[in-house]
């Protein structure tokens, strides 16, 4: 029993590391995704083409490969390590998720009827005002379901960080196999992921409900 | 004095010339109906007046001030206050769904007061919004959201919203076309009541009976030109051009 409690607490520390990846990634990728979305919708063709090509590459290759490239790549080219595993993870995850989010944002923004912009213009509102005061909340409402999917995927993707020696929850649990011959802590980690994703699902459900007063 | 003068307005989409030189003038308080068959350019004309489309050529003069002028092949000039000279009520209402009825009315004036630093008070804007809601008969719906209103009610809100900025000329693009027949009456009644309060209006409509009764003048547009123009009695009672005769008789079937 004491061992169970100790391992639970130890894994909680590991989960803290997982949570760091999750939070830092969201903090950077949510706004970055909006910038990428605007880039990909730009009327300036070279910019939109370049942005879309970048998004295609990032979404079309495995996150694990991107992690390895960012972490080990500079070492292979310049002969020395440039990034700590922590920064490599934060950078790679943020960019990867920003690309996914950008596509969701773009879909959301493009789904808003053109009449909303026109109504804003005819009432003398600026484009900026129309976007922030009229369009944005409608976009948010529409993208909640796909965003919640993507964010829950992120929770689980954090486990990929260990390929570049970032010590997160799974790594913490695997140590018990090597050091103590215990297999169960590895399976036990599922509980942490499940509880956390349940919490997220609950929060997104609340948000969805809060915005259900209009359509 | 004419509140509005439009001179030689032309608009092309690619090679397709949709407005082929429209001239019209409107006195203050006058109600002009525009009729014509589908694809004739009626919507495009209203959209050009509201700067949702930029005409390729022509001039728009409001109260003796040139608010828009364009010459084929040159960059058009639009006066800064041009947009607010006109208001537009859309066929599809285009209310802002996340705002209540009164918020829909107040949003643009509030933002404008802030942007321009006019010092206009929120209470004054709210007062005006309440008055206009009373005008369109929706006082008790002030705090309702658009999705809980009927189409006719939504369109009345849209009319009140357009009036909030006191446009010199209020345009309607088939305001009843997306409504169930039993709801058109309430909207047409509101528009008629605006006529009594001396608003200058341009109404694109397929409701011939309505056009006949509400308008001071009617124009018939076909293929991007004004084919015929006159009082309702003249146009409906004694149509001259073949196209108008054909158009009116087709409507009677
Ligand atoms: N944004 C656009 N791009 C290209 N062509 C357009 C555009 N808007 C309108 N048109 C064309 O312009 C012509 C006139 O259209 P418009 O909508 O002004 O007609 P309308 O008189 O309002 O017809 P309706 O009675 O059906 O509403 C049509 O041939 C239409 O296809
Ligand atoms: Mg039309």
């Amino acid at each position: 029993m004491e061992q169970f409690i100790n391992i639970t607490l130890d894994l909680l520390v590991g989960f803290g590391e997982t949570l760091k990846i999750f939070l830092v990634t969201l903090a950077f990728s949510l706004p970055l995704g909006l910038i990428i979305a605007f880039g990909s919708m730009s009327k300036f063709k070279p910019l939109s083409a370049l942005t879309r090509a970048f998004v295609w590459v990032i979404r079309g290759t495995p996150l694990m490969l991107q992690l390895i490239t960012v972490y080990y790549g500079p070492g292979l080219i310049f002969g020395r390590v440039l990034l700590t595993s922590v920064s490599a993870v934060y950078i790679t995850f943020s960019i990867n998720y920003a690309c996914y989010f950008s596509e969701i944002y773009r879909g959301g923004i493009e789904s808003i009827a053109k009449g909303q912009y026109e109504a804003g213009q005819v009432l003398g509102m600026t484009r900026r005002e129309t976007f922030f005061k009229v369009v944005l909340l409608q976009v948010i409402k529409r993208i909640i379901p796909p965003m919640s999917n993507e964010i829950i995927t992120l929770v689980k993707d954090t486990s990929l960080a260990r390929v570049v020696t970032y010590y997160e929850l799974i790594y913490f649990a695997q140590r018990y196999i090597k050091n103590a011959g215990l297999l169960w802590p590895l399976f036990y980690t599922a509980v942490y992921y499940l509880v956390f994703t349940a919490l997220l699902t609950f929060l997104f459900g609340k948000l969805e409900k809060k915005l259900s007063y209009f359509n | 004095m004419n509140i509005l003068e439009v001179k030689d307005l032309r608009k092309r989409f690619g090679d397709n010339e949709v407005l082929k030189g429209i001239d019209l003038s409107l006195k203050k308080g006058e109600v002009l109906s525009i009729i014509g068959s589908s694809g004739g350019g009626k919507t495009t004309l209203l959209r050009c007046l509201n700067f949702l489309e930029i005409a390729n050529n022509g001039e728009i003069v409001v109260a003796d001030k040139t608010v828009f002028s364009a010459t084929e092949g040159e960059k058009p000039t639009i006066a800064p206050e041009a947009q607010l000279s006109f208001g537009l009520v859309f066929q599809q209402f285009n209310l802002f769904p996340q705002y209540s009825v009164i918020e829909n009315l107040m949003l643009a004036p509030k933002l404008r007061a802030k942007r321009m630093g006019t010092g206009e008070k929120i209470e004054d804007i709210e007062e005006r919004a309440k008055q206009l809601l009373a005008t369109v008969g929706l006082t008790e719906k002030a705090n309702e959201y658009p999705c809980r209103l009927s189409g006719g009610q939504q369109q009345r809100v849209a009319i009140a919203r357009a009036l909030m900025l006191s446009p010199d000329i209020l345009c309607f693009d088939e305001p009843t076309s997306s409504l169930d027949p039993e709801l058109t009456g309430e909207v047409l009644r509101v528009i008629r009541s605006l006529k009594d309060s001396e608003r200058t209006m341009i109404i694109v409509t397929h409701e011939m009976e309505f056009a006949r009764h509400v308008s001071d003048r009617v124009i018939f547009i076909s293929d991007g030109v004004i084919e015929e123009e006159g009082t309702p009695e003249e146009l409906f009672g004694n149509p001259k051009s073949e196209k108008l005769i054909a158009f009116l008789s087709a409507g009677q079937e």
Side-chain angles (χ1 to χ4, degrees):
Chain A
M1 189 62 198
E2 204 190 316
Q3 186 198 39
F4 177 75
I5 291 170
N6 284 338
I7 290 179
T8 300
L9 291 176
D10 183 47
L11 291 184
L12 208 54
V13 176
F15 182 69
E17 295 301 318
T18 290
L19 203 58
K20 270 189 211 161
I21 304 176
F22 177 78
L23 293 174
V24 171
T25 301
L26 282 190
F28 285 107
S29 61
L30 289 174
L32 184 60
L34 196 58
I35 295 171
I36 296 176
F38 283 133
S40 70
M41 289 185 293
S42 168
K43 287 207 177 73
F44 182 57
K45 281 275 146 31
L47 178 62
S48 66
L50 202 69
T51 318
R52 283 179 195 216
F54 180 73
V55 170
W56 172 65
V57 170
I58 298 293
R59 295 208 314 163
T61 55
L63 177 54
M64 186 188 290
L65 191 58
Q66 293 165 14
L67 278 168
I68 293 170
T69 308
V70 171
Y71 185 56
Y72 296 108
L76 293 175
I77 297 167
F78 304 111
R80 66 197 171 92
V81 175
L82 288 181
L83 294 171
T84 63
S85 69
V86 174
S87 29
V89 165
Y90 290 164
I91 291 171
T92 314
F93 270 78
S94 297
I95 292 176
N96 182 280
Y97 271 84
C99 286
Y100 278 95
F101 292 154
S102 79
E103 286 295 280
I104 297 176
Y105 293 157
R106 186 163 70 89
I109 291 171
E110 286 176 349
S111 76
I112 302 300
K114 156 167 140 293
Q116 293 288 300
Y117 295 96
E118 295 187 345
Q121 185 193 326
V122 168
L123 291 167
M125 290 161 63
T126 63
R127 279 168 169 277
R128 232 189 133 72
E129 288 168 346
T130 306
F131 183 78
F132 284 104
K133 298 289 179 180
V134 173
V135 173
L136 189 60
L137 191 63
Q138 296 179 46
V139 172
I140 290 174
K141 180 186 164 85
R142 280 185 207 190
I143 66 175
I144 288 174
M147 285 298 278
S148 95
N149 259 329
E150 213 48 56
I151 287 172
I152 282 168
T153 304
L154 170 60
V155 176
K156 297 167 288 172
D157 272 356
T158 54
S159 62
L160 290 171
R162 48 180 292 288
V163 301
V164 292
T165 72
Y166 184 111
Y167 301 147
E168 47 62 70
L169 181 57
I170 300 268
Y171 173 85
F172 270 62
Q174 278 187 324
R175 280 191 318 201
Y176 288 100
I177 304 176
K178 234 191 297 164
N179 301 345
L182 292 176
L183 197 56
W184 65 264
L186 182 59
F187 298 105
Y188 182 38
T189 59
V191 174
Y192 291 79
Y193 291 111
L194 284 172
V195 169
F196 189 55
T197 51
L199 178 72
L200 288 175
T201 307
F202 172 76
L203 289 177
F204 277 113
K206 280 213 102 121
L207 193 58
E208 209 166 326
K209 198 130 174 239
K210 208 170 152 52
L211 294 180
S212 65
Y213 72 93
F214 71 90
N215 56 26
Chain B
M1 187 189 78
N2 285 333
I3 187 88
L4 173 68
E5 287 213 43
V6 176
K7 296 173 194 157
D8 198 24
L9 207 65
R10 293 168 187 272
K11 174 68 189 172
R12 266 183 289 104
F13 293 109
D15 287 338
N16 182 13
E17 189 165 41
V18 174
L19 297 179
K20 300 170 180 165
I22 299 285
D23 293 273
L24 58 88
S25 60
L26 208 54
K27 288 197 184 58
K28 195 165 165 37
E30 209 175 9
V31 176
L32 174 74
S33 287
I34 302 179
I35 59 172
S37 48
S38 187
K42 304 180 297 297
T43 295
T44 306
L45 174 58
L46 288 195
R47 289 175 64 84
C48 285
L49 292 180
N50 283 274
F51 311 105
L52 294 174
E53 304 287 357
I54 302 302
N56 300 102
N57 183 77
E59 214 175 306
I60 301 173
V61 182
V62 177
D64 282 339
K65 267 171 60 188
T66 302
V67 298
F68 174 89
S69 93
T71 314
E72 198 75 51
E74 283 171 37
K75 203 172 172 322
T77 51
I78 307 179
E81 75 281 18
Q83 187 76 61
L84 291 181
S85 301
F86 295 91
L88 178 61
V89 174
F90 298 86
Q91 190 174 335
Q92 298 296 339
F93 332 134
N94 294 334
L95 296 180
F96 304 137
Q98 74 266 45
Y99 292 114
S100 67
V101 164
I102 189 127
E103 289 168 339
N104 260 277
L105 268 64
M106 292 175 64
L107 181 68
K110 260 175 25 188
L111 290 170
R112 181 176 152 79
K114 205 162 114 194
R115 179 168 11 97
M116 313 288 269
T118 57
E120 190 177 19
K121 288 207 218 55
I122 300 280
E123 298 87 72
D124 295 342
I125 297 174
E126 189 171 354
E127 191 50 45
R128 196 145 40 99
K130 284 182 176 158
Q131 278 170 14
L132 284 169
L133 279 184
T135 307
V136 299
L138 287 172
T139 301
E140 76 284 11
K141 299 286 184 193
N143 296 311
E144 208 57 271
Y145 286 91
C147 62
R148 313 228 320 157
L149 300 180
S150 73
Q153 291 169 333
Q154 291 191 48
Q155 191 60 300
R156 282 144 69 197
V157 174
I159 293 170
R161 183 177 70 172
L163 289 171
M164 280 298 285
L165 293 142
S166 322
D168 296 303
I169 300 122
L170 183 57
C171 305
F172 296 81
D173 191 8
E174 301 192 30
T176 57
S177 285
S178 54
L179 298 178
D180 294 336
E182 73 270 20
L183 297 177
T184 61
E186 57 185 81
V187 171
L188 297 181
R189 266 195 300 282
V190 164
I191 298 174
R192 193 166 313 168
S193 76
L194 296 178
K195 176 188 168 72
D196 299 334
S197 57
E198 292 286 291
R199 309 262 183 191
T200 313
M201 297 189 276
I202 301 179
I203 307 167
V204 169
T205 183
H206 284 148
E207 304 269 349
M208 293 306 145
E209 225 15 64
F210 175 68
R212 187 197 282 255
H213 286 112
V214 81
S215 336
D216 300 304
R217 224 143 34 89
V218 181
I219 64 179
F220 170 65
I221 289 191
S222 173
D223 281 329
V225 295
I226 297 181
E227 193 70 30
E228 203 166 326
E229 175 170 7
T231 63
E233 292 74 31
E234 288 166 353
L235 250 82
F236 293 111
N238 184 19
K240 296 198 177 59
S241 70
E242 268 173 44
K243 281 183 183 172
L244 178 55
I245 293 169
F247 174 75
L248 290 175
S249 61
Q252 257 142 34
E253 279 150 25

